[in-house]
Amino acid sequence: MQHYAINFSDSGIAIIGLNNATGKLEDEAFLFVPKEEIASTKFNKKLMSYELEVATSKGTLAFKVNKTMVGASWHKENLATILNRL
């Protein structure tokens, strides 16, 4: 399973791949989806996680989003903020 850092901004969504062993950014695993290309964004609640679906003009991107992450205490609060915004 690949891990990603996902940033939501007024200009779009940045998706950056992370090395599964080190957690460092992967230089070649970067995608930016401009706001104009995003048709919809939604979180589907699963049993132990969420699924983020980003529908674009080129297709749909889907990501598993854990409710909590070990070693990233900020994740739970940031996820709640994003869920309230979308």
Side-chain angles (χ1 to χ4, degrees):
M1 177 188 332
Q2 177 66 47
H3 291 92
Y4 299 93
I6 301 175
N7 177 268
F8 294 84
S9 73
D10 292 335
S11 57
I13 301 173
I15 303 158
I16 305 165
L18 302 174
N19 182 293
N20 289 345
T22 66
K24 293 184 179 182
L25 303 179
E26 293 282 359
D27 292 334
E28 302 298 319
F30 179 82
L31 174 66
F32 181 75
V33 183
K35 180 180 178 180
E36 299 78 34
E37 290 185 19
I38 299 172
S40 67
T41 305
K42 67 179 179 177
F43 281 88
N44 299 313
K45 191 171 185 176
K46 303 292 183 181
L47 183 62
M48 300 295 289
S49 64
Y50 290 93
E51 181 183 56
L52 169 63
E53 286 187 11
V54 180
T56 72
S57 56
K58 297 178 183 177
T60 301
L61 302 168
F63 302 93
K64 178 183 174 186
V65 179
N66 292 329
K67 292 181 180 181
T68 60
M69 290 178 53
V70 175
S73 57
W74 47 265
H75 174 75
K76 187 174 182 178
E77 182 180 334
N78 287 351
L79 178 58
T81 300
I82 291 168
L83 290 171
N84 287 331
R85 288 173 63 191
L86 302 177

